[in-house]
Amino acid sequence: SATAQSSPSQLLATTLADEIERRTDRQGKTIGVALKDRSSVLPIGRTGDAAYWFSGNSFATSTWYMNELPKWLNDFNARKLPESYLNQTWTPLLPIGKYHQVLPDENPYEQPLSPGGKSAFPYNLAELSKGPAGIGLIASTPWGNTLTTDMALAALAGEGMGQDNITDLLAISYSSSDILGHKMGPRSLEIEDMYIRLDQELARLLAELDKSVGAGKYTLFLTADHGVIDVPQYLKDLKGSAGYMDPRAMQQRLNSTFPANDDERILQVDTVVDGHVYFNDVLREGMLARVVEVISAMPEVSMVMTAHTARRNTAAGEQTLLSNGFMPQRCGDILYTLKPGYFEAEGSFVGKGTTHGSGWNYDTHVPVILFGQGIVHGEVVRKTAVADIVPTVCMIVGCALPDAAVGEPVQEVIAR
């Protein structure tokens, strides 16, 4: 049955899938596949046909999309592929000399694959999956990507996608490189091995598309939702400018800086998270200005702005990225960014592993590959944006732009 508890209920604008559904009078098939729920749901939007993600030990969806899973998916889940993939030992695919190793396999910058374990090859997956992670361990291994490809191909065949002249959309998100990358960072031997194996999964996907849809008869785009920073502790050890900011320390500093008195309410910070500060009460402009001063004085902070400034959207430079992502009903009262090389971390996340989420180039510079039907062979070396992909695809497909699309078509890649 459809038992997973996720939906696009918080999504306020249409997606490419929504627009394809409208353009084809709901005859097009639009399906999302990923290990993560959000990575499956958000590309498909509110009116797409189905989003499937890994829940427990199998793929599921929610009643937003359907009340019962299709037969092909029940058959797929019955194969118990996650269990079979975890019944092995993970060792490097290639001879060690073929890898671009800057750090030794055993190094102090990596979190273990499984809590309490080690962070070096070999990994006895069968044994590790008996621990706290259980079957979910597969998401941190290359076989999470293998399973995703398996599922995508099952959807392709089960729904007969690409078998007529009506536009279909199969949105696939490979989540495992993100999950493992958070734990071990971009210079780990494990993440390099995962990407080498991911190349094989993409080859398998394309081979099946060539066979079932036809070579040159489909359009594909490949990108990433973000980049990543090197493990800050590694950069610090190289004498680079990098480090960590403890959000709890910021919250304590704010609450202790503004004690209660007879003239003004006590300042109480509700939450500090991901560059946002939320207060329990609405603050006067004078108080907000003082809070901005305190946060700006913290050595890890690059820039601070109030919600009022973000709402006016008159910012420039680094502030523009914050303003573009600002929504009054959901964002904090104060917004801030950290200096390059820094991110929010506390406890065991200090010194090991990494994350993303800043506006600096290491987080925002990602690859974009388009090829297939309607695409001109070549290379675009000017700066483009991920937001340009959907307008480009819309021009090729012949559908309207999604409600809030802000990008421009990349004209160099469109066949005329």
Side-chain angles (χ1 to χ4, degrees):
S1 63
T3 58
Q5 302 297 308
S6 296
S7 81
S9 62
Q10 298 300 304
L11 185 61
L12 303 180
T14 59
T15 67
L16 176 61
D18 289 314
E19 296 301 336
I20 288 174
E21 290 286 350
R22 296 179 184 184
R23 175 66 179 84
T24 63
D25 298 326
R26 298 198 59 77
Q27 297 302 302
K29 295 173 181 175
T30 53
I31 296 176
V33 172
L35 296 183
K36 295 181 180 179
D37 52 2
R38 59 189 179 275
S39 302
S40 173
V41 169
L42 292 177
I44 296 304
R46 298 174 69 101
T47 63
D49 290 322
Y52 301 108
W53 57 93
F54 196 62
S55 178
N57 61 357
S58 60
F59 277 89
T61 188
S62 70
T63 52
W64 180 281
Y65 299 102
M66 64 192 73
N67 292 317
E68 294 292 333
L69 296 180
K71 181 181 182 301
W72 65 261
L73 182 49
N74 284 323
D75 292 343
F76 178 83
N77 285 332
R79 294 166 62 188
K80 296 188 180 298
L81 292 175
E83 289 87 342
S84 65
Y85 287 142
L86 288 175
N87 189 29
Q88 63 177 311
T89 297
W90 178 17
T91 58
L93 180 67
L94 306 178
I96 290 296
K98 295 286 187 179
Y99 291 82
H100 182 79
Q101 275 189 283
V102 176
L103 295 167
D105 187 15
E106 186 85 49
N107 68 73
Y109 307 112
E110 301 174 2
Q111 296 175 20
L113 191 65
S114 182
K118 59 184 178 66
S119 60
F121 287 113
Y123 293 99
N124 185 334
L125 301 181
E127 191 64 33
L128 290 173
S129 64
K130 295 176 184 176
I135 294 296
L137 177 72
I138 194 169
S140 299
T141 76
W143 291 276
N145 291 330
T146 303
L147 183 65
T148 302
T149 305
D150 293 335
M151 176 61 183
L153 296 181
L156 186 73
E159 299 291 344
M161 302 184 78
Q163 299 303 306
D164 55 30
N165 292 325
I166 301 172
T167 301
D168 297 331
L169 173 67
L170 179 59
I172 308 166
S173 177
Y174 287 100
S175 305
S176 290
S177 52
D178 175 87
I179 295 168
L180 183 69
H182 276 285
K183 293 180 178 180
M184 299 192 169
R187 300 192 184 277
S188 65
L189 180 60
E190 290 86 349
I191 201 72
E192 185 176 358
D193 190 68
M194 177 177 280
Y195 273 109
I196 291 170
R197 293 175 185 269
L198 178 57
D199 281 348
Q200 295 182 332
E201 293 306 315
L202 295 175
R204 183 160 70 99
L205 174 67
L206 296 179
E208 184 57 37
L209 287 169
D210 285 349
K211 179 182 175 182
S212 66
V213 180
K217 294 184 178 180
Y218 58 89
T219 306
L220 181 143
F221 66 86
L222 174 69
T223 189
D225 57 341
H226 56 75
V228 74
I229 184 179
D230 261 306
V231 179
Q233 188 61 51
Y234 168 68
L235 296 177
K236 284 182 67 176
D237 291 345
L238 293 177
K239 299 182 180 179
S241 177
Y244 304 90
M245 192 281 288
D246 186 343
R248 292 180 306 175
M250 177 183 287
Q251 184 164 345
Q252 292 167 359
R253 178 177 298 191
L254 289 172
N255 284 334
S256 63
T257 303
F258 302 97
N261 58 45
D262 295 334
D263 299 321
E264 57 188 20
R265 268 176 290 179
I266 184 173
L267 172 71
Q268 281 296 326
V269 178
D270 180 79
T271 307
V272 175
V273 61
D274 293 337
H276 293 255
V277 181
Y278 297 84
F279 298 116
N280 289 326
D281 296 308
V282 176
L283 302 183
R284 297 194 303 272
E285 278 297 313
M287 177 70 87
L288 280 174
R290 293 169 60 193
V291 172
V292 168
E293 289 179 5
V294 172
I295 297 176
S296 298
M298 297 184 68
E300 306 90 351
V301 171
S302 171
M303 186 270 296
V304 187
M305 66 191 302
T306 65
H308 178 67
T309 301
R311 188 180 292 112
R312 289 183 307 185
N313 201 24
T314 58
E318 185 186 352
Q319 292 183 333
T320 302
L321 293 176
L322 284 185
S323 294
N324 287 347
F326 180 77
M327 184 176 180
Q329 299 92 330
R330 298 180 182 177
C331 292
D333 300 287
I334 298 281
L335 291 76
Y336 64 89
T337 63
L338 302 181
K339 293 176 180 175
Y342 287 80
F343 63 72
E344 294 179 20
E346 54 186 296
S348 62
F349 293 99
V350 173
K352 295 179 183 293
T354 189
T355 194
H356 49 85
S358 79
W360 303 113
N361 285 333
Y362 51 73
D363 275 345
T364 60
H365 188 195
V366 296
V368 176
I369 299 172
L370 299 100
F371 79 91
Q373 185 168 310
I375 304 296
V376 175
H377 180 72
E379 184 177 10
V380 178
V381 295
R382 67 180 175 85
K383 187 173 183 179
T384 59
V386 171
D388 296 335
I389 297 174
V390 166
T392 303
V393 173
C394 286
M395 296 302 106
I396 296 168
V397 170
C399 67
L401 297 180
D403 301 339
V406 296
E408 297 286 339
V410 182
Q411 298 187 28
E412 297 97 316
V413 309
I414 301 175
R416 288 174 168 80

